[in-house]
Amino acid sequence: MLKVLILSDGVPGHVSQARGLVDWLSTRYELVCVEQTVALRVRSLSRLLLPYVLRINRAGPHIGTVFYDSGMLGSETTRPDLIVSAGGNTSFLNVALARKWSVPNIFLGSGRRLHSSEFSAHLTLEPTGQSHNIVMDLVPTATNPSEPAENGGALRDRLQLKNRQPLYSLVVGGDGAGYSFDETTWSQIGGLVEGLSRRDNCRWLVTTSRRTGCAGEHLLKKALPVSLLADSVWWSESPRKVMNSYLDASDAVFVTADSMTMISEAIASQKPTTVLKPADGKPPERYHKALERFELAGYCKLWTLGAAMPSLPANANIDNHARDLLLSRLEQQIPSLLRHSLASSAR
């Protein structure tokens, strides 16, 4: 049995990545997972000091009691077999506890000035050029356990769609990652929905998010013909967690480019995925390169709003190609994982 400790900073995107990786691991390993939320005290000062504190062999393993608010760091805490976390604020504690317990550790994301070699495996979307770095094809994402268990087939039945009419999802964020959405942009999204409905005779599942905001939702509503919507969630008015059921029910997914988590969830659904980019977007170089790599690998199509109507792409993540590739790389990097494999348990 593989005992996994997730260190969570409470940020939904980070928590989703860590849980997603554990979900992926559970396909190969019999495991039990404990999740602990931790908070970095005096963040700005701690981020400056901790890279240096960790270099002190005697002090490093004990930083949790000084720099973090958490009740789990006492001597009674059960030693895990593996530590997993995402988000820079957890990176220092991840390293400290791995040293304290002499266990392997995996970290996803920017290491906050820590070298990749501080982790047994440092998972990123772009190479760090350092040892122990593994470049992921995709960011792992977790199924939200608080979402209703309604699957795509049940949703289609409830919506009484006729004769397997095509059903597309539109997953909408808002300003972020160097992209911004204004009245023109929302109008272009509406035009895309209307044009695809005419061309493909499809209807739509639409969900906005916290990032969309009231103003964005108002403009998007104006741009979307109500008759084309099979179901919708307007987050600022009446939030519902429907991502799992929407993706499961869809024949194709269209997602705005501002959220790596939403994009990764769409690709993980194995449905044809199109990422919608505002024409004047200026994402960070690393973010832009990650999206380009997704497209090059065949996981999605990048489409600039206002361009000619896109054709539906394939999705090369069929049969969980990205998941299996990452797990195989982790087994090469952390051979001790193999002791806990399901195949070993069966023997």
Side-chain angles (χ1 to χ4, degrees):
M1 179 75 72
L2 180 69
K3 293 178 286 187
V4 182
L5 170 64
I6 291 179
L7 299 176
S8 164
D9 61 4
V11 177
H14 297 161
V15 177
S16 176
Q17 290 179 38
R19 290 175 180 167
L21 179 60
V22 172
D23 282 352
W24 286 11
L25 287 167
S26 70
T27 65
R28 290 198 185 184
Y29 307 99
E30 185 179 1
L31 60 79
V32 59
C33 181
V34 173
E35 183 174 318
Q36 177 63 44
T37 300
V38 297
L40 190 61
R41 296 186 181 121
V42 195
R43 282 196 227 174
S44 56
L45 180 61
S46 296
R47 288 171 181 169
L48 287 174
L49 292 177
L50 280 169
Y52 302 100
V53 174
L54 281 170
R55 295 174 190 170
I56 304 171
N57 289 334
R58 294 182 64 185
H62 305 288
I63 68 168
T65 54
V66 178
F67 290 91
Y68 283 87
D69 289 319
S70 174
M72 57 74 65
L73 301 174
S75 58
E76 74 282 358
T77 302
T78 303
R79 175 184 179 274
D81 299 307
L82 178 68
I83 298 170
V84 174
S85 75
N89 289 337
T90 68
S91 61
F92 311 109
L93 187 58
N94 184 318
V95 172
L97 292 180
R99 291 180 186 177
K100 176 181 178 179
W101 287 317
S102 298
V103 297
N105 59 334
I106 300 174
F107 179 72
L108 300 92
S110 171
R112 294 282 187 199
R113 297 187 295 122
L114 295 178
H115 196 281
S116 293
S117 62
E118 298 282 8
F119 310 101
S120 304
H122 181 197
L123 310 185
T124 60
L125 285 172
E126 290 296 322
T128 67
Q130 301 170 349
S131 60
H132 296 188
N133 175 226
I134 296 176
V135 178
M136 302 177 284
D137 269 24
L138 290 175
V139 177
T141 56
T143 299
N144 191 324
S146 66
E147 284 197 20
E150 182 179 40
N151 62 31
L155 177 60
R156 281 178 170 270
D157 289 343
R158 180 168 63 78
L159 297 176
Q160 299 181 334
L161 295 173
K162 344 175 188 171
N163 301 322
R164 289 293 303 171
Q165 182 178 19
L167 188 61
Y168 295 173
S169 277
L170 174 64
V171 181
V172 180
D175 294 349
Y179 297 102
S180 58
F181 296 78
D182 56 18
E183 186 168 3
T184 298
T185 313
W186 295 122
S187 178
Q188 289 169 336
I189 292 175
L192 171 68
V193 166
E194 196 165 6
L196 288 172
S197 297
R198 284 196 304 268
R199 189 189 75 186
D200 299 346
N201 189 33
C202 64
R203 295 189 68 198
W204 291 82
L205 303 170
V206 176
T207 179
T208 61
S209 67
R210 291 180 181 87
R211 190 182 289 118
T212 314
C214 294
E217 289 185 354
H218 174 71
L219 292 170
L220 183 59
K221 275 186 175 182
K222 280 176 55 179
L224 292 177
V226 176
S227 61
L228 303 181
L229 307 187
D231 195 38
S232 59
V233 173
W234 303 100
W235 196 266
S236 67
E237 296 177 2
S238 181
R240 280 190 294 136
K241 294 178 178 179
V242 295
M243 191 75 159
N244 296 339
S245 56
Y246 274 19
L247 294 180
D248 194 37
S250 297
D251 297 296
V253 182
F254 294 78
V255 55
T256 55
D258 52 279
S259 169
M260 188 60 70
T261 298
M262 294 194 315
I263 293 167
S264 298
E265 289 176 345
I267 293 172
S269 74
Q270 303 181 10
K271 305 297 175 63
T273 297
T274 302
V275 178
L276 308 178
K277 304 188 304 173
D280 58 356
K282 295 179 181 176
E285 184 66 15
R286 290 182 65 190
Y287 193 94
H288 176 66
K289 285 184 176 179
L291 293 184
E292 286 189 328
R293 198 174 70 253
F294 291 170
E295 183 175 49
L296 187 63
Y299 295 135
C300 66
K301 176 196 287 274
L302 304 181
W303 186 75
T304 302
L305 289 166
M309 201 64 56
S311 57
L312 295 184
N315 185 330
N317 190 45
I318 202 73
D319 297 327
N320 294 302
H321 170 78
R323 179 197 71 190
D324 293 340
L325 184 60
L326 177 59
L327 293 180
S328 295
R329 289 170 177 168
L330 283 173
E331 288 173 346
Q332 293 173 357
Q333 190 92 346
I334 312 175
S336 62
L337 286 176
L338 292 171
R339 293 202 306 268
H340 303 278
S341 69
L342 292 171
S344 297
S345 298
R347 289 196 295 270

Short mmCIF file of all heavy atoms in Angstrom, two decimals, residues 292-343:
data_model
loop_
_atom_site.label_atom_id
_atom_site.label_comp_id
_atom_site.label_asym_id
_atom_site.label_seq_id
_atom_site.Cartn_x
_atom_site.Cartn_y
_atom_site.Cartn_z
N GLU A 292 1.13 25.94 -27.25
CA GLU A 292 1.61 25.52 -28.57
C GLU A 292 2.01 24.05 -28.56
O GLU A 292 1.77 23.32 -29.54
CB GLU A 292 2.79 26.39 -29.01
CG GLU A 292 2.40 27.80 -29.44
CD GLU A 292 3.56 28.55 -30.05
OE1 GLU A 292 4.71 28.30 -29.62
OE2 GLU A 292 3.32 29.37 -30.95
N ARG A 293 2.63 23.62 -27.47
CA ARG A 293 3.03 22.22 -27.39
C ARG A 293 1.81 21.31 -27.32
O ARG A 293 1.79 20.22 -27.89
CB ARG A 293 3.94 22.01 -26.18
CG ARG A 293 4.72 20.71 -26.29
CD ARG A 293 5.74 20.51 -25.19
NE ARG A 293 5.11 20.26 -23.91
CZ ARG A 293 5.06 21.13 -22.92
NH1 ARG A 293 5.61 22.32 -23.08
NH2 ARG A 293 4.47 20.85 -21.79
N PHE A 294 0.76 21.73 -26.61
CA PHE A 294 -0.48 20.95 -26.60
C PHE A 294 -1.00 20.75 -28.02
O PHE A 294 -1.41 19.65 -28.40
CB PHE A 294 -1.56 21.66 -25.78
CG PHE A 294 -1.31 21.72 -24.29
CD1 PHE A 294 -2.11 22.50 -23.49
CD2 PHE A 294 -0.29 20.99 -23.70
CE1 PHE A 294 -1.90 22.57 -22.12
CE2 PHE A 294 -0.06 21.04 -22.33
CZ PHE A 294 -0.88 21.84 -21.54
N GLU A 295 -0.99 21.84 -28.78
CA GLU A 295 -1.51 21.76 -30.15
C GLU A 295 -0.61 20.87 -31.01
O GLU A 295 -1.09 20.05 -31.79
CB GLU A 295 -1.62 23.15 -30.76
CG GLU A 295 -2.23 23.14 -32.16
CD GLU A 295 -2.46 24.52 -32.72
OE1 GLU A 295 -1.52 25.36 -32.65
OE2 GLU A 295 -3.56 24.79 -33.22
N LEU A 296 0.71 21.03 -30.88
CA LEU A 296 1.64 20.24 -31.66
C LEU A 296 1.50 18.75 -31.37
O LEU A 296 1.62 17.91 -32.26
CB LEU A 296 3.08 20.71 -31.38
CG LEU A 296 4.18 20.09 -32.24
CD1 LEU A 296 3.99 20.46 -33.71
CD2 LEU A 296 5.55 20.56 -31.76
N ALA A 297 1.21 18.42 -30.12
CA ALA A 297 1.03 17.02 -29.74
C ALA A 297 -0.33 16.47 -30.17
O ALA A 297 -0.57 15.26 -30.07
CB ALA A 297 1.17 16.88 -28.22
N GLY A 298 -1.21 17.34 -30.65
CA GLY A 298 -2.52 16.89 -31.12
C GLY A 298 -3.57 16.81 -30.05
O GLY A 298 -4.64 16.23 -30.26
N TYR A 299 -3.31 17.42 -28.89
CA TYR A 299 -4.29 17.38 -27.80
C TYR A 299 -5.43 18.36 -28.00
O TYR A 299 -6.52 18.18 -27.45
CB TYR A 299 -3.61 17.67 -26.46
CG TYR A 299 -2.60 16.62 -26.04
CD1 TYR A 299 -1.37 17.00 -25.53
CD2 TYR A 299 -2.90 15.27 -26.15
CE1 TYR A 299 -0.44 16.04 -25.14
CE2 TYR A 299 -1.97 14.31 -25.77
CZ TYR A 299 -0.75 14.71 -25.26
OH TYR A 299 0.17 13.75 -24.88
N CYS A 300 -5.18 19.44 -28.74
CA CYS A 300 -6.21 20.46 -28.92
C CYS A 300 -5.88 21.30 -30.14
O CYS A 300 -4.82 21.15 -30.75
CB CYS A 300 -6.31 21.36 -27.68
SG CYS A 300 -4.82 22.37 -27.40
N LYS A 301 -6.81 22.18 -30.50
CA LYS A 301 -6.58 23.17 -31.54
C LYS A 301 -6.64 24.55 -30.89
O LYS A 301 -7.52 24.82 -30.06
CB LYS A 301 -7.66 23.07 -32.63
CG LYS A 301 -7.55 24.14 -33.73
CD LYS A 301 -8.84 24.23 -34.53
CE LYS A 301 -8.99 23.04 -35.45
NZ LYS A 301 -8.31 23.23 -36.74
N LEU A 302 -5.68 25.43 -31.22
CA LEU A 302 -5.72 26.82 -30.77
C LEU A 302 -6.43 27.64 -31.84
O LEU A 302 -6.09 27.54 -33.02
CB LEU A 302 -4.30 27.36 -30.54
CG LEU A 302 -3.41 26.57 -29.59
CD1 LEU A 302 -2.04 27.25 -29.45
CD2 LEU A 302 -4.06 26.42 -28.22
N TRP A 303 -7.41 28.42 -31.43
CA TRP A 303 -8.19 29.19 -32.40
C TRP A 303 -8.34 30.61 -31.89
O TRP A 303 -8.73 30.84 -30.75
CB TRP A 303 -9.56 28.55 -32.61
CG TRP A 303 -10.37 29.19 -33.69
CD1 TRP A 303 -10.20 29.06 -35.03
CD2 TRP A 303 -11.49 30.06 -33.51
NE1 TRP A 303 -11.14 29.80 -35.72
CE2 TRP A 303 -11.95 30.43 -34.81
CE3 TRP A 303 -12.15 30.57 -32.40
CZ2 TRP A 303 -13.03 31.27 -35.00
CZ3 TRP A 303 -13.24 31.41 -32.59
CH2 TRP A 303 -13.66 31.76 -33.88
N THR A 304 -8.01 31.57 -32.78
CA THR A 304 -8.10 32.98 -32.42
C THR A 304 -9.51 33.49 -32.70
O THR A 304 -10.03 33.33 -33.81
CB THR A 304 -7.08 33.81 -33.23
OG1 THR A 304 -5.76 33.30 -32.96
CG2 THR A 304 -7.13 35.27 -32.82
N LEU A 305 -10.13 34.08 -31.69
CA LEU A 305 -11.49 34.60 -31.85
C LEU A 305 -11.54 35.62 -32.98
O LEU A 305 -10.68 36.47 -33.11
CB LEU A 305 -11.95 35.24 -30.54
CG LEU A 305 -12.23 34.26 -29.41
CD1 LEU A 305 -12.35 34.98 -28.07
CD2 LEU A 305 -13.49 33.45 -29.69
N GLY A 306 -12.58 35.47 -33.80
CA GLY A 306 -12.74 36.34 -34.96
C GLY A 306 -12.23 35.74 -36.25
O GLY A 306 -12.50 36.28 -37.33
N ALA A 307 -11.49 34.61 -36.15
CA ALA A 307 -10.98 33.95 -37.36
C ALA A 307 -12.10 33.13 -38.00
O ALA A 307 -13.21 33.03 -37.48
CB ALA A 307 -9.79 33.06 -37.01
N ALA A 308 -11.78 32.54 -39.17
CA ALA A 308 -12.77 31.72 -39.87
C ALA A 308 -13.19 30.55 -39.00
O ALA A 308 -12.43 30.09 -38.14
CB ALA A 308 -12.16 31.22 -41.18
N MET A 309 -14.39 30.05 -39.23
CA MET A 309 -14.97 28.99 -38.41
C MET A 309 -14.04 27.77 -38.34
O MET A 309 -13.59 27.26 -39.37
CB MET A 309 -16.32 28.57 -39.01
CG MET A 309 -17.24 27.87 -38.04
SD MET A 309 -17.76 28.91 -36.66
CE MET A 309 -18.50 30.30 -37.51
N PRO A 310 -13.71 27.27 -37.14
CA PRO A 310 -12.77 26.17 -37.03
C PRO A 310 -13.41 24.82 -37.31
O PRO A 310 -14.60 24.60 -37.03
CB PRO A 310 -12.31 26.25 -35.56
CG PRO A 310 -13.51 26.81 -34.84
CD PRO A 310 -14.15 27.78 -35.82
N SER A 311 -12.62 23.90 -37.85
CA SER A 311 -13.06 22.51 -37.94
C SER A 311 -12.78 21.85 -36.59
O SER A 311 -11.96 22.33 -35.81
CB SER A 311 -12.29 21.78 -39.05
OG SER A 311 -10.90 21.86 -38.80
N LEU A 312 -13.49 20.76 -36.32
CA LEU A 312 -13.28 20.07 -35.05
C LEU A 312 -11.98 19.27 -35.11
O LEU A 312 -11.75 18.53 -36.06
CB LEU A 312 -14.44 19.13 -34.74
CG LEU A 312 -15.80 19.76 -34.50
CD1 LEU A 312 -16.80 18.69 -34.10
CD2 LEU A 312 -15.73 20.84 -33.43
N PRO A 313 -11.12 19.42 -34.09
CA PRO A 313 -9.87 18.66 -34.08
C PRO A 313 -10.08 17.26 -33.54
O PRO A 313 -11.17 16.91 -33.05
CB PRO A 313 -9.00 19.47 -33.13
CG PRO A 313 -9.98 20.01 -32.13
CD PRO A 313 -11.24 20.30 -32.92
N ALA A 314 -9.05 16.44 -33.61
CA ALA A 314 -9.04 15.18 -32.88
C ALA A 314 -8.50 15.48 -31.47
O ALA A 314 -8.24 16.63 -31.14
CB ALA A 314 -8.16 14.16 -33.59
N ASN A 315 -8.34 14.47 -30.65
CA ASN A 315 -7.72 14.64 -29.34
C ASN A 315 -6.79 13.46 -29.12
O ASN A 315 -7.22 12.34 -28.90
CB ASN A 315 -8.77 14.70 -28.23
CG ASN A 315 -8.17 15.01 -26.85
OD1 ASN A 315 -7.04 14.65 -26.56
ND2 ASN A 315 -8.95 15.67 -26.01
N ALA A 316 -5.47 13.72 -29.20
CA ALA A 316 -4.49 12.65 -29.14
C ALA A 316 -4.32 12.07 -27.73
O ALA A 316 -3.52 11.16 -27.54
CB ALA A 316 -3.13 13.16 -29.63
N ASN A 317 -5.08 12.59 -26.76
CA ASN A 317 -5.01 12.04 -25.41
C ASN A 317 -5.92 10.82 -25.24
O ASN A 317 -6.11 10.34 -24.13
CB ASN A 317 -5.40 13.11 -24.38
CG ASN A 317 -5.12 12.66 -22.95
OD1 ASN A 317 -4.05 12.13 -22.67
ND2 ASN A 317 -6.06 12.87 -22.06
N ILE A 318 -6.44 10.32 -26.34
CA ILE A 318 -7.32 9.16 -26.26
C ILE A 318 -6.57 8.01 -25.57
O ILE A 318 -5.36 7.86 -25.72
CB ILE A 318 -7.80 8.73 -27.67
CG1 ILE A 318 -9.07 7.93 -27.59
CG2 ILE A 318 -6.73 8.03 -28.46
CD1 ILE A 318 -10.29 8.74 -27.25
N ASP A 319 -7.25 7.23 -24.76
CA ASP A 319 -6.65 6.15 -23.98
C ASP A 319 -5.63 6.67 -22.97
O ASP A 319 -4.70 5.95 -22.58
CB ASP A 319 -5.99 5.10 -24.88
CG ASP A 319 -6.99 4.41 -25.80
OD1 ASP A 319 -8.15 4.24 -25.37
OD2 ASP A 319 -6.61 4.07 -26.92
N ASN A 320 -5.79 7.93 -22.54
CA ASN A 320 -4.96 8.48 -21.47
C ASN A 320 -3.46 8.41 -21.77
O ASN A 320 -2.64 8.09 -20.91
CB ASN A 320 -5.26 7.78 -20.14
CG ASN A 320 -6.66 8.07 -19.65
OD1 ASN A 320 -7.03 9.20 -19.44
ND2 ASN A 320 -7.45 7.02 -19.48
N HIS A 321 -3.12 8.75 -23.00
CA HIS A 321 -1.72 8.71 -23.41
C HIS A 321 -0.83 9.56 -22.51
O HIS A 321 0.25 9.12 -22.07
CB HIS A 321 -1.60 9.19 -24.87
CG HIS A 321 -0.20 9.41 -25.32
ND1 HIS A 321 0.64 8.37 -25.68
CD2 HIS A 321 0.53 10.56 -25.47
CE1 HIS A 321 1.81 8.87 -26.03
NE2 HIS A 321 1.78 10.17 -25.91
N ALA A 322 -1.27 10.80 -22.21
CA ALA A 322 -0.44 11.71 -21.41
C ALA A 322 -0.23 11.17 -20.00
O ALA A 322 0.86 11.29 -19.43
CB ALA A 322 -1.08 13.10 -21.36
N ARG A 323 -1.27 10.60 -19.41
CA ARG A 323 -1.17 10.03 -18.06
C ARG A 323 -0.15 8.90 -18.01
O ARG A 323 0.75 8.87 -17.16
CB ARG A 323 -2.53 9.52 -17.60
CG ARG A 323 -2.54 8.90 -16.21
CD ARG A 323 -3.77 8.05 -15.99
NE ARG A 323 -3.73 6.82 -16.79
CZ ARG A 323 -4.76 6.00 -16.95
NH1 ARG A 323 -5.93 6.30 -16.41
NH2 ARG A 323 -4.64 4.90 -17.66
N ASP A 324 -0.28 7.95 -18.94
CA ASP A 324 0.58 6.79 -18.91
C ASP A 324 2.04 7.16 -19.19
O ASP A 324 2.96 6.57 -18.61
CB ASP A 324 0.10 5.75 -19.93
CG ASP A 324 -1.25 5.15 -19.53
OD1 ASP A 324 -1.60 5.24 -18.34
OD2 ASP A 324 -1.94 4.62 -20.41
N LEU A 325 2.24 8.15 -20.04
CA LEU A 325 3.60 8.60 -20.33
C LEU A 325 4.25 9.19 -19.08
O LEU A 325 5.40 8.89 -18.75
CB LEU A 325 3.57 9.63 -21.47
CG LEU A 325 4.91 10.15 -21.98
CD1 LEU A 325 5.75 9.01 -22.53
CD2 LEU A 325 4.69 11.20 -23.05
N LEU A 326 3.50 10.04 -18.36
CA LEU A 326 4.05 10.65 -17.15
C LEU A 326 4.33 9.60 -16.08
O LEU A 326 5.39 9.64 -15.42
CB LEU A 326 3.08 11.71 -16.62
CG LEU A 326 3.51 12.38 -15.30
CD1 LEU A 326 4.86 13.06 -15.44
CD2 LEU A 326 2.45 13.38 -14.84
N LEU A 327 3.41 8.66 -15.86
CA LEU A 327 3.63 7.64 -14.84
C LEU A 327 4.86 6.79 -15.15
O LEU A 327 5.62 6.43 -14.25
CB LEU A 327 2.39 6.75 -14.71
CG LEU A 327 1.14 7.43 -14.15
CD1 LEU A 327 -0.01 6.44 -14.08
CD2 LEU A 327 1.40 8.03 -12.78
N SER A 328 5.08 6.49 -16.42
CA SER A 328 6.27 5.71 -16.79
C SER A 328 7.54 6.51 -16.51
O SER A 328 8.55 5.95 -16.04
CB SER A 328 6.20 5.32 -18.27
OG SER A 328 5.11 4.44 -18.51
N ARG A 329 7.50 7.82 -16.77
CA ARG A 329 8.66 8.66 -16.47
C ARG A 329 8.91 8.74 -14.98
O ARG A 329 10.07 8.73 -14.52
CB ARG A 329 8.44 10.06 -17.05
CG ARG A 329 8.52 10.12 -18.58
CD ARG A 329 8.06 11.48 -19.08
NE ARG A 329 8.20 11.58 -20.53
CZ ARG A 329 7.66 12.56 -21.26
NH1 ARG A 329 6.94 13.51 -20.66
NH2 ARG A 329 7.83 12.60 -22.56
N LEU A 330 7.84 8.80 -14.18
CA LEU A 330 8.00 8.84 -12.73
C LEU A 330 8.60 7.53 -12.20
O LEU A 330 9.43 7.54 -11.29
CB LEU A 330 6.65 9.10 -12.06
CG LEU A 330 6.14 10.53 -12.08
CD1 LEU A 330 4.71 10.60 -11.54
CD2 LEU A 330 7.05 11.46 -11.27
N GLU A 331 8.21 6.40 -12.77
CA GLU A 331 8.76 5.12 -12.33
C GLU A 331 10.25 5.03 -12.62
O GLU A 331 11.01 4.44 -11.85
CB GLU A 331 8.01 3.97 -13.00
CG GLU A 331 6.60 3.80 -12.45
CD GLU A 331 5.78 2.78 -13.22
OE1 GLU A 331 6.20 2.38 -14.33
OE2 GLU A 331 4.72 2.38 -12.70
N GLN A 332 10.68 5.61 -13.74
CA GLN A 332 12.10 5.64 -14.05
C GLN A 332 12.86 6.54 -13.07
O GLN A 332 13.98 6.23 -12.66
CB GLN A 332 12.32 6.12 -15.48
CG GLN A 332 11.81 5.15 -16.53
CD GLN A 332 11.90 5.73 -17.94
OE1 GLN A 332 12.30 6.87 -18.13
NE2 GLN A 332 11.53 4.93 -18.92
N GLN A 333 12.24 7.66 -12.71
CA GLN A 333 12.87 8.64 -11.82
C GLN A 333 12.84 8.19 -10.36
O GLN A 333 13.76 8.48 -9.60
CB GLN A 333 12.14 9.99 -11.95
CG GLN A 333 12.83 11.14 -11.27
CD GLN A 333 13.77 11.87 -12.21
OE1 GLN A 333 14.10 11.38 -13.29
NE2 GLN A 333 14.19 13.03 -11.81
N ILE A 334 11.75 7.51 -9.95
CA ILE A 334 11.58 7.09 -8.56
C ILE A 334 11.33 5.58 -8.55
O ILE A 334 10.18 5.12 -8.44
CB ILE A 334 10.41 7.84 -7.89
CG1 ILE A 334 10.49 9.35 -8.13
CG2 ILE A 334 10.37 7.55 -6.39
CD1 ILE A 334 9.29 10.12 -7.60
N PRO A 335 12.39 4.76 -8.66
CA PRO A 335 12.19 3.30 -8.76
C PRO A 335 11.45 2.70 -7.58
O PRO A 335 10.79 1.66 -7.73
CB PRO A 335 13.64 2.78 -8.83
CG PRO A 335 14.45 3.93 -9.34
CD PRO A 335 13.79 5.16 -8.78
N SER A 336 11.49 3.34 -6.40
CA SER A 336 10.82 2.78 -5.24
C SER A 336 9.30 2.69 -5.43
O SER A 336 8.63 1.93 -4.73
CB SER A 336 11.13 3.61 -3.98
OG SER A 336 10.65 4.94 -4.12
N LEU A 337 8.75 3.48 -6.36
CA LEU A 337 7.31 3.40 -6.62
C LEU A 337 6.90 2.01 -7.07
O LEU A 337 5.78 1.56 -6.80
CB LEU A 337 6.92 4.41 -7.69
CG LEU A 337 6.86 5.89 -7.30
CD1 LEU A 337 6.54 6.74 -8.52
CD2 LEU A 337 5.82 6.12 -6.21
N LEU A 338 7.79 1.32 -7.77
CA LEU A 338 7.43 0.02 -8.35
C LEU A 338 7.09 -1.01 -7.29
O LEU A 338 6.35 -1.96 -7.55
CB LEU A 338 8.57 -0.48 -9.25
CG LEU A 338 8.79 0.34 -10.53
CD1 LEU A 338 10.06 -0.10 -11.23
CD2 LEU A 338 7.59 0.20 -11.45
N ARG A 339 7.62 -0.82 -6.07
CA ARG A 339 7.32 -1.78 -5.00
C ARG A 339 5.84 -1.78 -4.64
O ARG A 339 5.32 -2.73 -4.07
CB ARG A 339 8.13 -1.43 -3.74
CG ARG A 339 9.61 -1.62 -3.88
CD ARG A 339 10.25 -1.77 -2.50
NE ARG A 339 9.91 -0.68 -1.60
CZ ARG A 339 10.64 0.43 -1.45
NH1 ARG A 339 11.74 0.59 -2.16
NH2 ARG A 339 10.27 1.37 -0.60
N HIS A 340 5.15 -0.66 -4.93
CA HIS A 340 3.75 -0.52 -4.54
C HIS A 340 2.78 -0.72 -5.72
O HIS A 340 1.60 -0.45 -5.58
CB HIS A 340 3.52 0.87 -3.96
CG HIS A 340 4.41 1.19 -2.81
ND1 HIS A 340 4.15 0.78 -1.52
CD2 HIS A 340 5.59 1.86 -2.75
CE1 HIS A 340 5.10 1.20 -0.71
NE2 HIS A 340 5.99 1.86 -1.43
N SER A 341 3.30 -1.19 -6.85
CA SER A 341 2.44 -1.30 -8.03
C SER A 341 1.36 -2.35 -7.83
O SER A 341 1.54 -3.32 -7.06
CB SER A 341 3.27 -1.64 -9.26
OG SER A 341 3.77 -2.95 -9.19
N LEU A 342 0.25 -2.19 -8.52
CA LEU A 342 -0.83 -3.17 -8.45
C LEU A 342 -0.37 -4.53 -8.93
O LEU A 342 -0.79 -5.54 -8.42
CB LEU A 342 -2.03 -2.67 -9.27
CG LEU A 342 -2.74 -1.44 -8.71
CD1 LEU A 342 -3.75 -0.93 -9.72
CD2 LEU A 342 -3.44 -1.76 -7.39
N ALA A 343 0.50 -4.54 -9.94
CA ALA A 343 1.01 -5.80 -10.46
C ALA A 343 1.80 -6.54 -9.38
O ALA A 343 1.68 -7.75 -9.19
CB ALA A 343 1.90 -5.56 -11.68
#
